[in-house]
């Protein structure tokens, strides 16, 4: 592997040296079993994903589809899970699957789900309008190849297989030759201003580091520099991010421009390009982008955007967030943390992970959401005629693996303890190792115990993240109490060959937050945004806006520590209780919580709300557990009080 010019400040442990426990761990294990380890997973899920290459029909009409992305996502996820759990059968399954995909490689190196390899730009909008009812500018050819290349590279790294690497080189070389033959840049292909195609720079850089072939790096640099243009041609990601202008205002009059998933995917590649080249503006653009998203796009669910679009979502009560968006928001936060060591990125990661991400994983492990919402039910969908694969569902294992990497890390300054749900890790280094165990009831009462077995002859420091939301905290180190400051890391001295026990009690004061509708006219707030709708068809997210499923008056949400709470029929709440009880918004309100049996949830409380109108008690559980299943009931749950 080629060395980086810029290396991380902190590093994760090896996946095999980590273990997610508790509620999240049980959810992850069920999901891994149902989606990649069981016989049915191989026979149905994997085989269906592979079929996109044996039967390439994504360009069967004038509208380009995206069946070709599913195998790559599944392979990336499965390879990372295999490193985590060491499952020998999964490893063999991935080798056989990669070989089957490579058997579809044409003589010129092309592997794809488009019969016409040169369908890399959208077709005539008048033609597509006749076929699907609107001027569809979709073309996912290179996006699908991105995921195929990346999936093969993950398999290559896991299996150390030269045959797979050769196939990767041939696939990448075909793309370079094709762009040259068609006189196109990546930014001139695909849809959404070329962002889906441009996101291929991430696996291209992985391939560059494997091979040292400068042509792959050249393509990535040229693509990034086209995001920093004087003429302002979209997407201009670098120049726009550094401008300070809200992302939702970058492309006025273009309802498809500020697409969350694809834009965040490009930032993933841009950060990798920073590591490879050392060019500072790539990092600064991503840091600036994080700040813009945190300010203007952080939604009520602690993800970013609204239904896969940046529309200044921080000002909208109604929230839908795609799991793909949550995973890539988590990835942006994770990557920025590894490069800087700044705790704010882990604050955002934790809120996204414990709330919208876990809400996306259904409790039976068989499926996941197309979009998680704040009330009603979560959205589900099937895509491109497939039954067992979906863009968001196939991405979900990556979120668990990012959490396994993020929970405990190590840098030159010592250990970093970032997440506080049940977790175990070993961090090995040249002259010793640290064994870290995290236990407690963090989701219920913001308490955790961290045990660090420091097996080394020299002293070191452990840095305990104190979340920005914890305004009153107590940390006890081997029985001695300290009051750390929020939004910083609290340092713990690790003596040579010693064991340190750190008891954490963070702020568990209930936080009621009042939200007001951004606009009283729903058409003004949402209708111009084609993607901002609530029904699904075979594409996964098209249909008419259902305004009656939205909230148009002031309401409140309730958070305890990092956990957003909700009422739900799963939790025993009635429709009248959730949707007809007057809101506490606009009234002074005292709130007390009493923990109750939380089986099947991260936490559950009896919540007493006291206002001038009197006192009432309602039961609430964590948002992630409230509706993580397939239901038809449009009034199944609500975060609103």
């Amino acid at each position: 592997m080629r060395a980086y010019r810029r290396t991380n400040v902190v590093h994760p442990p090896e996946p095999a040296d980590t273990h997610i426990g508790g509620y999240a761990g049980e959810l992850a294990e069920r999901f891994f079993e149902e989606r990649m380890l069981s016989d049915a997973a191989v026979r149905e899920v994997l085989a269906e994903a592979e079929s996109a290459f044996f039967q390439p029909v994504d360009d069967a009409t004038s509208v380009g589809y995206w069946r070709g992305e599913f195998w790559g996502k599944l392979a990336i996820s499965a390879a990372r899970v295999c490193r985590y759990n060491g499952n020998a059968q999964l490893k063999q399954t991935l080798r056989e699957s990669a070989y089957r995909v490579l058997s579809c490689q044409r003589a010129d190196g092309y592997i794809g789900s488009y019969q016409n390899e040169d369908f890399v730009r959208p077709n005539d909008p008048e033609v597509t309008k006749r076929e699907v009812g609107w001027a569809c500018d979709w073309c996912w050819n290179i996006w699908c190849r991105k995921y195929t290349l990346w999936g093969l590279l993950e398999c290559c790294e896991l299996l150390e297989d030269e045959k797979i690497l050769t196939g990767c080189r041939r696939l990448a070389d075909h793309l370079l030759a094709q762009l040259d033959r068609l006189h196109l840049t990546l930014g001139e292909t695909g849809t959404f201003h070329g962002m889906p195609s441009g996101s291929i720079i991430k696996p291209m850089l992985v391939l560059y580091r494997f091979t040292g072939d400068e042509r792959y790096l050249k393509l990535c640099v040229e693509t990034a520099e086209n995001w920093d243009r004087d003429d302002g041609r979209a997407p201009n990601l670098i120049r726009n991010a550094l401008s300070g202008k809200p992302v939702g205002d970058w492309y006025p009059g273009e309802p498809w421009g500020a697409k969350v998933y694809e834009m965040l995917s490009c930032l993933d590649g841009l950060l990798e390009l920073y590591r490879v080249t050392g060019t500072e503006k790539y990092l600064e653009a991503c840091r600036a982008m994080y700040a813009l998203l945190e300010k203007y796009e952080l939604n009520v669910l602690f993800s970013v955007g609204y239904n896969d679009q940046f529309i200044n979502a921080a000002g909208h009560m109604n929230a839908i967030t795609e799991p793909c968006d949550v995973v890539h928001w988590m990835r942006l936060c994770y990557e920025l943390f590894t490069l800087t060591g700044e705790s704010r990125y882990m604050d955002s990661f934790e809120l996204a992970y414990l709330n919208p991400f876990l809400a996306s994983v259904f409790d039976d492990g068989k499926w996941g959401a197309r979009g998680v919402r704040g009330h009603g039910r979560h959205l589900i969908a099937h895509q491109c005629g497939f039954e067992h694969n979906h863009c968001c569902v196939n991405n979900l294992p990556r979120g668990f693996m990012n959490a396994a990497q993020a929970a405990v890390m190590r840098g030159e300054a010592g250990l970093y303890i970032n997440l506080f749900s049940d977790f175990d890790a070993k961090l090995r280094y040249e002259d010793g190792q640290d064994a870290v165990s995290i236990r407690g009831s963090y989701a219920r009462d913001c308490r955790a115990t961290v045990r660090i077995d420091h097996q080394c002859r020299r002293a070191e420091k452990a840095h305990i993240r104190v979340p920005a939301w914890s305004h009153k905290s107590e940390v006890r180190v081997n029985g001695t109490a300290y009051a750390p400051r929020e939004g910083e890391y609290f340092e713990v001295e690790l003596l040579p060959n010693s064991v340190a026990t750190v008891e954490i009690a963070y702020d568990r004061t209930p936080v009621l937050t009042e939200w007001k509708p951004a606009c009283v006219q729903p058409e003004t707030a949402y209708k111009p945004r084609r993607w901002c709708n609530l029904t699904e068809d075979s594409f996964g997210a098209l249909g008419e806006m259902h305004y009656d499923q939205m909230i148009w008056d002031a309401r409140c949400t309730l958070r305890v520590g990092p956990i957003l709470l909700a009422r739900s029929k799963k939790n025993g709440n009635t429709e009248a209780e959730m949707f007809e009880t007057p809101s506490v918004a606009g009234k002074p309100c005292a709130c007390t919580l009493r923990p109750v049996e939380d089986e099947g949830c991260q936490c559950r409380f009896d919540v007493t709300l006291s206002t001038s109108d009197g006192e009432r008690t309602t039961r609430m559980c964590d948002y992630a557990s409230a509706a993580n299943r397939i239901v038809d009931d449009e009034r199944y749950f609500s975060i609103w009080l």
Side-chain angles (χ1 to χ4, degrees):
M1 274 279 194
R2 281 257 177 148
Y4 285 128
R5 289 178 179 267
R6 296 287 186 273
T7 56
N8 290 341
V9 173
V10 290
H11 305 271
E14 290 297 319
D17 289 333
T18 66
H19 181 261
I20 304 171
Y23 173 84
E26 292 175 3
L27 201 63
E29 293 300 330
R30 281 196 298 274
F31 197 78
F32 299 161
E33 176 65 24
E34 296 288 346
R35 298 288 304 166
M36 58 187 66
L37 297 175
S38 68
D39 290 342
V42 177
R43 185 177 62 251
E44 297 173 352
V45 181
L46 183 60
E48 183 183 70
E50 291 173 4
S51 73
F53 306 113
F54 289 95
Q55 301 165 351
V57 296
D58 274 346
D59 57 342
T61 70
S62 63
V63 177
Y65 293 168
W66 58 95
R67 285 186 176 193
E69 75 171 41
F70 297 136
W71 181 84
K73 290 183 175 182
L74 198 60
I76 295 167
S77 294
R80 295 180 183 183
V81 169
C82 192
R83 293 190 190 98
Y84 172 76
N85 65 13
N87 187 290
Q89 182 57 53
L90 179 58
K91 191 172 185 178
Q92 181 61 23
T93 297
L94 281 169
R95 188 187 304 276
E96 294 170 358
S97 183
Y99 284 2
R100 285 193 293 271
V101 170
L102 287 173
S103 75
C104 298
Q105 192 160 41
R106 298 179 187 174
D108 61 1
Y110 175 75
I111 307 173
S113 55
Y114 283 59
Q115 188 69 34
N116 176 11
E117 65 190 69
D118 287 343
F119 179 7
V120 295
R121 304 187 78 178
N123 274 321
D124 183 341
E126 290 305 314
V127 174
T128 63
K129 188 173 183 178
R130 287 196 297 270
E131 291 200 22
V132 298
W134 57 281
C136 180
D137 62 352
W138 288 347
C139 175
W140 300 96
N141 190 331
I142 295 176
W143 166 267
C144 290
R145 284 187 251 173
K146 182 268 295 260
Y147 273 114
T148 304
L149 176 62
W150 200 350
L152 287 169
L153 285 167
E154 290 278 344
C155 291
C156 173
E157 188 171 1
L158 172 71
L159 302 167
E160 299 179 333
D161 191 310
E162 285 295 323
K163 177 180 177 179
I164 299 176
L165 181 59
T166 298
C168 292
R169 295 199 67 163
R170 294 182 62 219
L171 178 57
D173 290 349
H174 170 270
L175 176 60
L176 295 180
Q178 181 184 37
L179 293 172
D180 185 60
R181 173 171 54 83
L182 298 177
H183 306 291
L184 292 173
T185 65
L186 274 177
E188 294 170 320
T189 68
T191 185
F192 307 141
H193 307 303
M195 287 188 295
S197 299
S199 69
I200 202 173
I201 67 176
K202 178 63 180 274
M204 277 289 188
L205 290 169
V206 176
L207 184 58
Y208 163 71
R209 294 189 65 229
F210 265 122
T211 65
D213 192 325
E214 295 289 336
R215 296 176 304 148
Y216 306 142
L217 176 59
K218 182 173 181 287
L219 175 70
C220 297
V221 171
E222 288 175 351
T223 302
E225 290 304 315
N226 262 321
W227 296 337
D228 187 19
R229 300 174 63 97
D230 292 333
D231 64 7
R233 191 181 80 182
N236 226 24
L237 298 178
I238 294 172
R239 190 70 61 93
N240 282 333
L242 295 173
S243 74
K245 186 177 181 180
V247 185
D249 299 338
W250 284 3
Y251 315 117
E254 297 187 41
W256 290 89
K259 189 80 159 42
V260 177
Y261 178 18
E262 290 75 13
M263 194 177 291
L264 292 177
S265 297
C266 288
L267 298 184
D268 204 7
L270 201 58
L271 286 170
E272 187 71 1
L273 190 59
Y274 164 72
R275 292 187 180 96
V276 169
T277 65
T279 303
E280 290 293 331
K281 71 175 177 181
Y282 300 154
L283 173 62
E284 291 310 308
C286 292
R287 286 170 64 94
M289 187 69 169
Y290 166 87
L292 290 176
L293 298 182
E294 184 185 43
K295 182 175 181 180
Y296 297 110
E297 295 290 347
L298 189 67
N299 59 44
V300 66
L301 307 176
F302 300 113
S303 182
V304 290
Y306 175 86
N307 206 17
D308 203 23
Q309 284 247 281
F310 290 128
I311 61 166
N312 296 311
H316 292 261
M317 288 178 63
N318 293 294
I320 303 174
T321 196
E322 277 206 358
C324 286
D325 301 347
V326 183
V327 168
H328 283 76
W329 171 238
M330 288 164 58
R331 285 192 56 77
L332 176 63
C333 296
Y334 170 83
E335 297 291 350
L336 285 172
F337 176 76
T338 64
L339 287 164
T340 66
E342 295 179 14
S343 63
R344 61 177 178 155
Y345 299 127
M346 274 297 117
D347 285 349
S348 295
F349 183 100
E350 177 185 59
L351 290 167
Y353 171 60
L354 293 179
N355 294 292
F357 172 76
L358 290 182
S360 305
V361 185
F362 288 172
D363 55 9
D364 64 1
K366 297 178 184 296
W367 199 245
R370 200 290 291 168
V372 292
R373 300 182 60 196
H375 66 282
R377 66 174 177 90
H378 298 321
L379 304 185
I380 59 170
H382 292 86
Q383 295 177 326
C384 306
F386 272 5
E387 182 180 354
H388 303 291
N389 288 267
H390 182 278
C391 69
C392 296
V393 179
N394 288 21
N395 260 338
L396 289 173
R398 298 171 66 192
F400 283 117
M401 294 300 93
N402 268 139
Q405 290 183 300
V408 178
M409 305 177 78
R410 190 173 185 278
E412 289 187 5
L415 283 178
Y416 289 80
I417 312 298
N418 294 317
L419 304 178
F420 303 102
S421 301
D422 286 6
F423 187 76
D424 294 286
K426 287 184 179 179
L427 298 99
R428 307 172 194 272
Y429 41 99
E430 189 174 326
D431 54 351
Q433 72 171 24
D434 291 305
V436 180
S437 173
I438 302 172
R439 295 291 185 273
S441 50
Y442 183 65
R444 185 168 65 247
D445 59 13
C446 304
R447 294 178 178 271
T449 299
V450 181
R451 185 182 186 276
I452 305 170
D453 187 356
H454 181 59
Q455 300 170 15
C456 183
R457 294 181 180 179
R458 55 184 170 83
E460 196 165 76
K461 292 185 183 298
H463 302 78
I464 311 295
R465 182 178 66 89
V466 183
W469 48 259
S470 184
H471 302 304
K472 51 182 182 181
S473 306
E474 181 181 273
V475 173
R476 288 183 175 270
V477 182
N478 296 330
T480 303
Y482 303 89
R485 295 175 58 180
E486 67 265 27
E488 297 181 359
Y489 279 93
F490 176 75
E491 291 187 358
V492 175
E493 187 77 20
L494 301 177
L495 299 176
N497 295 316
S498 66
V499 174
T501 300
V502 183
E503 298 170 279
I504 293 166
Y506 289 147
D507 193 347
R508 53 180 173 174
T509 304
V511 178
L512 275 168
T513 302
E514 182 170 320
W515 294 76
K516 296 181 179 179
C519 181
V520 295
Q521 296 294 327
E523 291 84 354
T524 304
Y526 295 98
K527 195 169 185 178
R529 308 286 185 167
R530 184 187 297 277
W531 198 249
C532 299
N533 45 52
L534 297 182
T535 63
E536 311 96 64
D537 65 9
S538 61
F539 291 122
L542 294 178
E544 295 300 319
M545 178 66 75
H546 287 188
Y547 295 119
D548 59 345
Q549 297 176 10
M550 292 185 159
I551 299 292
W552 298 109
D553 58 340
R555 305 281 178 93
C556 290
T557 58
L558 179 60
R559 174 181 59 79
V560 181
I563 303 296
L564 179 66
L565 299 185
R567 292 181 287 190
S568 170
K569 290 180 181 177
K570 180 181 178 181
N571 194 43
N573 300 104
T574 65
E575 283 189 23
E577 188 180 3
M578 292 187 284
F579 297 101
E580 298 170 20
T581 305
S583 173
V584 298
K587 310 166 188 174
C589 182
C591 178
T592 58
L593 277 66
R594 183 177 67 84
V596 295
E597 177 62 40
D598 57 1
E599 184 178 352
C601 300
Q602 292 190 91
C603 57
R604 184 177 283 135
F605 303 95
D606 281 339
V607 179
T608 301
L609 303 165
S610 301
T611 69
S612 57
D613 296 331
E615 182 178 285
R616 67 177 186 266
T617 297
T618 187
R619 183 157 290 184
M620 302 186 79
C621 66
D622 63 290
Y623 164 71
S625 306
N628 57 344
R629 54 181 53 177
I630 296 175
V631 295
D632 294 326
D633 191 342
E634 296 286 356
R635 294 165 68 82
Y636 189 76
F637 86 105
S638 178
I639 64 172
W640 299 108
L641 292 169

